[in-house]
Amino acid sequence: MNFKMKAARAEKGLSQQALAETIGVSRQTVVLIEQGHYNPSLSICLAICRALDRTLNDLFWDGHKKSS
């Protein structure tokens, strides 16, 4: 699940439909991204970041570092 994206969308007061229209995808695409069932292209990720005023790291990086 992409809780970061969902939280950022809610913080901006956007519905899934409104975000989808803003970035040029279907609402179902937004649903699938938030549920973790779809890996969006870089261009979609960037559009989401612009729409939500977040960085790629903010929304799509899990923050877990692998030990060497």
Side-chain angles (χ1 to χ4, degrees), residues 14-66:
L14 293 174
S15 66
Q16 291 172 330
Q17 183 65 41
L19 178 59
E21 290 171 3
T22 300
I23 64 173
V25 299
S26 70
R27 184 188 69 80
Q28 187 62 25
T29 298
V30 172
V31 170
L32 291 172
I33 294 168
E34 287 186 354
Q35 291 176 343
H37 297 299
Y38 178 74
N39 287 326
S41 67
L42 181 58
S43 63
I44 292 174
C45 289
L46 291 171
I48 292 168
C49 290
R50 282 190 295 272
L52 299 179
D53 295 321
R54 296 291 198 279
T55 67
L56 286 169
N57 285 343
D58 291 339
L59 298 180
F60 298 102
W61 183 254
D62 66 11
H64 294 108
K65 295 183 179 180
K66 294 180 181 178

Side-chain angles (χ1 to χ4, degrees), residues 8-15 18:
R9 179 179 57 76
E11 186 179 300
K12 291 286 280 186
L14 293 174
S15 66

